[in-house]
Each structure stands twice: as structure tokens, then as C-alpha cells.
Amino acid sequence: MEQSLNPAAYGAAVDAPAAHDNNQVDTKTIWQVITASSVGTVIEWYDFYIFGSLAAIIGPVLFGSKGKPEETLLGILAVFGVGFVVRPFGAVVFGRIGDMVGRKYTFLVTLLIMGGATFITGLIPSYDKIGIVAPLIVVVLRLLQGLALGGEYGGAATYVAEYAPDSKRGYYTSFIQITATGGLILSILVIVIARKAMGEAAFKEWGWRVPFLLSGFLVVASYYIRKKLHESPLFAKAKATGTTSKSPLRDSFVNPVNRRLVLIALFGVTMGQGVIFYTSQFFAYSFMNATLKMDLMDSSTALVIAMVLATPLFVYFGSLSDRIGRKRIIMTGMICGALFTIPLFYGIKAYAGPLSEITPATVDAAGKAVPAVMKALAPNVPMITLLTFILVLFVTMVYGPIAAYLVELFPTSVRYTSLSLPYHIGNGVFGGFVPLVATWIGVWATAQPAGTFAKEHSSLLGLVYPVTIALLCFFVGMALMKDTRNVKLMDS
């Protein structure tokens, strides 16, 4: 039977067997669902981010201490990127399980895989002790983490949305959107506290393992909370009446109507949202530390304060999308990210101030040249915080309403699978590789002849990648994206 190309009509048609009126779900139950979903998701993002946040320290441990710093950094970023590559596969695998078996079961499995892989990372011997086996083990663990995270977001967004009232779906699902930022903030705080408590030398030698090992305790607590959850009422009713999909992959990606919606979600929304998210938060932090040579406390203070101040805006824009629509807010954030990201980064660079040599270049005992240690001695932290806040503001606009939009775009029978794949391709592949691609472009530009445009702008030339993706996504989204506000998921 043919369906209308209108996503709302399509969703309503497929969702015909109603579970019950979700507008009657009591507020206490909804907040219990949000809390249980969010706590676990924060922990999974924490697990995923601490690896990238410690890239500069973990690099020599995994690849040996004798390699060139820029090559070691690229190597560890590539290993970090492996986790992003497999996120779409995790979306397919766990999306299918979630649409056939249930949301709750998938929740628990992804949490345990992610937490276990992170904990084991903290136990791996160094390259100097076990050679190439060290990075190979980490690659396997990153693959497991990527698979787990690929199944996490779709489950959290779907689970909360299937409880939320139709008129407040943007508001309630926006709390899930906070979890990625919350995970990043938590990872930064744990790392900063550990480094300051044990000293820089001890942290680089063995203390970097502590944030990984701490994950084990956090996962156990989160598992206990999630285990008490019930299945979502909408999915439970669909399963009881036999209306779940017997082949979620076929129904999601072979059905021409649903496949078109998947492609619009990817090229019109999630691809641009992914690059804006990782550029404004993760790459900005790496840029402050690795390129501008800011003190760890200064860069961490700027980013954490900016993210904390911006966090309520996820909820604000999610709630606003219930009133004026998802598309208008998401597309505004998209074009702002495309137009203003590069100028804002130039501003951050200017306010970081000039680099000063704190340790002169020398030669070690083996005759190998040791480069001078440079550092930004007088950065204007308040102005850097303000500019970073504006970058994160764009993130809240594109990310706050997106869970509600994706959930409303697809039918219940294949919702988990259909929204997870475009989300994790957009975020995992296009967004997750922002640090690696931007750093690689910067390294290439640095090697160009003096006086060339690439050489003069080498530190920021890599931003051309995320800006181009965001701009492309804006044009596709404006042309093809339909507003899905207030779709009645439970109605017959």
C-alpha cells in the first residue's frame, strides 16, 4: 500500500494501532524515564569523550614515545575516529534489536558494552611494553564503543519520545540532547581534577588511566537505574498486537517512502548538526590546547563555563520547537554555524594572545632535536569564553529539537532503526572526523611554502571542512525538510 510522502501522514498511517493516549502519561513517570535514559547516556558519552580528551597523552603510550608529535597526534585521532566509523553499523545492529525485541533490553546491552570497553582501556600496557599489540587492542575496544554508542542515542530518543505528550515532545526529548554536552563536561572535569590532584608527571605516566577505570563504577550505577525501567507503552502495545516490523532493515531502507525520509534526515539535518556539534565543542577544545597552547585550566574553564551557560538553551529551543516548529530553529542554527564558525575561531585565536617560548629548543642525549615548548601566557579567558558560548549556542539550536524531529519523522515499527542510521552517519562519520580531518588539513597547510594562503592560515584552514558540510546541509534541509511538529504518535 502506498503512503503519502508527508512524514506526518506516513507516521500516523503506520502507527495506526495505538498504544494509549500518551498525553495521559503522568509527569512523574515521564521524568523517571528521562532520568534513567539521561544518566546512562551521559555515562556513555563520558566514556566516548575521555579518549579524545586525552589524545595528546595517550598517543605516545599507544604509538611509542619516539615518534614525531604531529604524527602521533594524527595516529591517536585516527584510532579515536575508528569509533565513529562503526557507529552507523551499531545503529543498524541495535536499531534492529530495539525495533524487534524492545527499547529497554537494547539500553542495557549498549551500556554494558560501552562501559566494559572503556574500563579495559584503562588497563592496557603501553607500546613500549607490548609493541603493536597496544594500539591494536585499543582499536578493537574503540570498535566496540562505537557499536554501543550507535545503538544508544536512538534508544534514548525513541524511549523518551514514546512517553512524551504530543504537544511537549520537543521539550521532553531536549533533555536527552543535554547528555552529550554533559558527558563532555564530566570528562573534562574528571581529567582536570585528576591532573591537578596527582601532578602532571604522574598523570602522564599512569594517572590518565583513572578516568577510564572510574567508568566501571559509573556504569554499574547506571545499569542499576536502567534495569528498573519498563518497556515504552507504544512499543509494548505494538508488540502485543503483532504490529512490530519483522524486518526493520528492509522496511527502513528498501521501502522507497521511508528510504527518502532517511536520506532527508541525513543530508538535510544530521550531517550539518554533527559537524557543528564537534567543531564547536570538541575541536574548539583541541584547538585551544594543541594549537593556541593555552594552559589546561584556562581552556577548560572557557569551554566548561560556555557549555554550562548554554545547556539550558537545549531545553529552550526544544520547547520553542513545540510552538513554532523544528525546521525553523534547526535551519537557523545551521546557517549561523556555516557563516560564523570561522570568524569566531579567528576571534578565539586573537584573544589567546601571542605564543611565548618557555623552554628553548635543545638536543637530547641521543642527538635528537627537541623543539622549543611554546605557551600562550596571557589569554583573555572571559572573551574566549564568550566566543565559545556563541559557538555552543549554534549547537543548542541545531541539536535541541532534533530528537523530536527524527522521532516524528518515522513510524513506530521501524523508528529505532530509521532514525539511528542517519543520526550516526551524520554525527559519527561527518561530525566525528572533524578533529582528524581539520588537523590533517592544518598539518598539510603548515608544510606549504611561506607566503602562500594555506601557510598563512594553516591553523584554521581545516575549518573549511565542517563549514562546507553545514552549508550544504542547510540548502538541502531548506529544500526538502518538512516540519513534523506535534505529530500524534499514539492516535489511530
Side-chain angles (χ1 to χ4, degrees):
M1 180 179 69
E2 290 188 15
Q3 300 287 349
S4 164
L5 290 181
N6 180 285
Y10 179 58
V14 178
D15 290 344
H20 64 78
D21 182 2
N22 70 331
N23 292 290
Q24 299 303 314
V25 176
D26 65 277
T27 303
K28 180 181 178 181
T29 299
I30 293 175
W31 282 113
Q32 288 175 340
V33 168
I34 291 173
T35 300
S37 301
S38 299
V39 169
T41 307
V42 166
I43 300 308
E44 293 212 32
W45 281 112
Y46 163 83
D47 287 353
F48 207 74
Y49 280 140
I50 53 176
F51 190 95
S53 299
L54 292 172
I57 293 176
I58 300 175
V61 176
L62 294 181
F63 292 91
S65 56
K66 298 180 180 180
K68 295 181 179 180
E70 63 271 17
E71 293 177 352
T72 299
L73 179 60
L74 285 173
I76 196 64
L77 287 175
V79 174
F80 180 60
V82 166
F84 290 101
V85 172
V86 298
R87 277 172 58 178
F89 296 99
V92 170
V93 171
F94 290 109
R96 181 177 182 275
I97 295 173
D99 281 329
M100 295 184 70
V101 179
R103 298 10 176 166
K104 175 185 174 180
Y105 173 79
T106 313
F107 255 1
L108 298 176
V109 172
T110 58
L111 179 66
L112 291 177
I113 292 175
M114 173 66 82
T118 304
F119 183 82
I120 294 173
T121 301
L123 301 174
I124 297 174
S126 68
Y127 181 94
D128 295 338
K129 291 183 178 180
I130 61 174
I132 193 66
V133 177
L136 290 179
I137 292 175
V138 174
V139 168
V140 172
L141 295 176
R142 290 297 296 170
L143 289 171
L144 290 173
Q145 286 183 314
L147 287 171
L149 194 58
E152 172 65 23
Y153 177 82
T158 300
Y159 194 80
V160 173
E162 289 180 348
Y163 269 99
D166 298 323
S167 60
K168 293 185 177 181
R169 190 169 297 115
Y171 169 70
Y172 284 117
T173 56
S174 66
F175 287 92
I176 295 297
Q177 307 309 95
I178 295 174
T179 59
T181 297
L184 179 55
I185 292 175
L186 181 61
S187 69
I188 292 174
L189 290 178
V190 169
I191 290 169
V192 169
I193 292 172
R195 291 177 84 157
K196 293 299 179 182
M198 62 185 64
E200 196 67 20
F203 187 83
K204 287 183 177 180
E205 181 179 355
W206 60 269
W208 62 269
R209 299 178 184 273
V210 172
F212 288 93
L213 298 177
L214 178 63
S215 171
F217 299 99
L218 299 176
V219 167
V220 170
S222 180
Y223 179 85
Y224 177 76
I225 294 173
R226 281 192 171 183
K227 192 171 175 59
K228 295 183 176 182
L229 292 174
H230 298 289
E231 188 54 79
S232 87
L234 181 55
F235 180 83
K237 180 64 176 179
K239 191 170 184 179
T241 56
T243 55
T244 56
S245 173
K246 294 180 174 58
S247 181
L249 299 182
R250 181 190 64 204
D251 294 340
S252 292
F253 311 123
V254 177
N255 180 306
V257 177
N258 204 82
R259 184 176 62 228
R260 178 178 183 272
L261 298 178
V262 169
L263 293 174
I264 291 173
L266 172 59
F267 293 104
V269 186
T270 63
M271 188 170 67
Q273 174 260 306
V275 297
I276 290 173
F277 180 93
Y278 282 97
T279 301
S280 300
Q281 297 188 150
F282 194 83
F283 182 69
Y285 189 54
S286 174
F287 179 71
M288 292 179 204
N289 292 323
T291 303
L292 302 183
K293 307 297 182 183
M294 289 176 57
D295 180 77
L296 176 68
M297 284 301 297
D298 289 338
S299 59
S300 299
T301 298
L303 183 62
V304 170
I305 291 177
M307 290 194 296
V308 169
L309 292 177
T311 293
L313 296 177
F314 286 102
V315 178
Y316 171 75
F317 287 119
S319 179
L320 184 63
S321 74
D322 287 326
R323 302 193 297 273
I324 70 173
R326 326 289 189 208
K327 178 177 179 178
R328 188 182 306 178
I329 298 171
I330 293 173
M331 289 297 105
T332 300
M334 199 80 70
I335 191 62
C336 286
L339 295 179
F340 301 120
T341 292
I342 292 179
L344 287 167
F345 267 83
Y346 270 105
I348 291 173
K349 181 180 180 181
Y351 283 112
L355 293 177
S356 299
E357 184 179 290
I358 60 174
T359 302
T362 184
V363 177
D364 62 18
K368 181 181 177 181
V370 178
V373 176
M374 308 296 289
K375 188 174 183 180
L377 296 181
N380 187 329
V381 177
M383 285 304 301
I384 292 174
T385 303
L386 175 62
L387 296 178
T388 306
F389 170 81
I390 298 173
L391 285 170
V392 182
L393 170 64
F394 303 152
V395 175
T396 65
M397 297 177 73
V398 296
Y399 202 47
I402 203 171
Y405 167 75
L406 292 174
V407 166
E408 293 168 340
L409 193 62
F410 300 106
T412 300
S413 58
V414 293
R415 180 170 294 129
Y416 201 145
T417 303
S418 295
L419 76 85
S420 293
L421 186 65
Y423 177 83
H424 286 292
I425 291 178
N427 280 261
V429 178
F430 289 96
F433 273 90
V434 165
L436 177 62
V437 174
T439 301
W440 178 83
I441 293 175
V443 171
W444 169 84
T446 302
Q448 300 309 299
T452 61
F453 179 86
K455 180 75 171 182
E456 295 295 325
H457 299 270
S458 59
S459 64
L460 290 168
L461 194 62
L463 291 175
V464 170
Y465 164 69
V467 165
T468 301
I469 296 297
L471 194 60
L472 173 63
C473 201
F474 170 77
F475 288 121
V476 173
M478 288 299 295
L480 300 177
M481 181 181 175
K482 305 295 183 182
D483 208 320
T484 60
R485 177 170 53 114
N486 293 341
V487 168
K488 299 185 182 300
L489 300 183
M490 301 284 185
D491 282 0
S492 300

